[in-house]
Amino acid sequence: MSDSIISVEHVCKSVSDSTGTLQILRDIDFALKAKETAAIVGASGSGKSTLLSIIAGLDTPTSGTVRLAGVDLFAMDEDARAGLRASQVGFVFQSFQLLGNLTALENVMLPLELAGRKDARKAASDMLQRVGLSARLAAYPKVLSGGEQQRVALARAFVVHPAVLLADEPTGSLDFATGEKIMELMFELNREQGTTLVLVTHDRGIAERCQRRITIEAGQVVEV
């Protein structure tokens, strides 16, 4: 697994409350090489989004670990994980997760500014032009359509040229035609930048466009 960009190693996740222990993930084990595209598929409640959160280092496993570019995420403290995410990982969510008090341009500039980039404004503007929003730089999220908001989210994710892009149901809030355009754009950007793409989806058509399909049932991988 030394040539893997993402290595998920025997990951288990359980939560306990007064009624007992719920096993969410059971011994998840797989690896992805740089530039691979993979879809995590399965029924609602199967553990897909939890697995994606653990791959991102946003959630911690009960046992097992994840290595990103050879670095053990859970041997690091949260600040170090956050730093690694900022430099290596892009995110696209179903709910867009844009900051409502920032314009489209400012939303895309934000990760660049946090990284100390002096060319944040130009790089963000160029990326918004790439996703077809050069006329909407000064628009706030509330006046953008769902498709436009997701384009801003894609621009924000790809503007840092991440090694890994994690997407959680990226078309879940969009109508079919808009979702198709967004996925086409995501795969185009992915090819252009050579990013490793991991997406959670319930859409079989989207999953089939990926090189790998990781199917989860009741917290276990049944197909890789």
Side-chain angles (χ1 to χ4, degrees), residues 171-191:
T171 62
S173 297
L174 305 173
D175 63 77
F176 178 78
T178 304
E180 285 287 295
K181 291 176 183 174
I182 289 296
M183 288 313 304
E184 189 60 44
L185 181 58
M186 179 182 287
F187 281 111
E188 281 178 16
L189 291 168
N190 195 69
R191 285 192 295 271

Side-chain angles (χ1 to χ4, degrees), residues 9 19 53 62 71 83 129 149 154 172 183 186 210:
E9 302 173 5
T19 62
S53 291
T62 306
V71 178
Q129 182 175 5
Q149 288 186 64
L154 283 177
M183 288 313 304
M186 179 182 287
C210 295

Side-chain angles (χ1 to χ4, degrees), residues 132-179:
L133 291 179
S134 56
R136 305 292 268 161
L137 302 187
Y140 288 90
K142 67 182 179 183
V143 301
L144 297 174
S145 69
E148 287 174 330
Q149 288 186 64
Q150 197 61 299
R151 285 172 184 268
V152 175
L154 283 177
R156 182 183 58 187
F158 279 104
V159 76
V160 296
H161 288 258
V164 174
L165 182 75
L166 305 177
D168 194 358
E169 297 283 9
T171 62
S173 297
L174 305 173
D175 63 77
F176 178 78
T178 304

Side-chain angles (χ1 to χ4, degrees), residues 57-71:
L58 295 168
D59 194 0
T60 55
T62 306
S63 60
T65 198
V66 173
R67 296 181 195 276
L68 180 61
V71 178

Side-chain angles (χ1 to χ4, degrees), residues 57 73 76-86:
L73 289 182
M76 310 167 82
D77 63 24
E78 179 49 44
D79 286 345
R81 279 200 297 275
L84 186 65
R85 277 194 298 274

Side-chain angles (χ1 to χ4, degrees), residues 53-108:
S53 291
I54 290 174
I55 292 172
L58 295 168
D59 194 0
T60 55
T62 306
S63 60
T65 198
V66 173
R67 296 181 195 276
L68 180 61
V71 178
D72 184 342
L73 289 182
F74 303 106
M76 310 167 82
D77 63 24
E78 179 49 44
D79 286 345
R81 279 200 297 275
L84 186 65
R85 277 194 298 274
S87 64
Q88 299 283 334
V89 183
F91 296 94
V92 178
F93 302 93
Q94 176 177 338
S95 56
F96 317 134
Q97 300 284 3
L98 301 178
L99 295 175
N101 62 327
L102 300 182
T103 64
L105 180 62
E106 290 165 344
N107 265 283
V108 179

Side-chain angles (χ1 to χ4, degrees), residues 20-39:
T21 299
L22 174 64
Q23 196 79 27
I24 300 172
L25 297 173
R26 307 166 187 263
D27 197 30
I28 306 292
D29 196 82
F30 65 88
L32 297 173
K33 293 180 180 178
K35 303 184 183 182
E36 273 196 295
T37 58

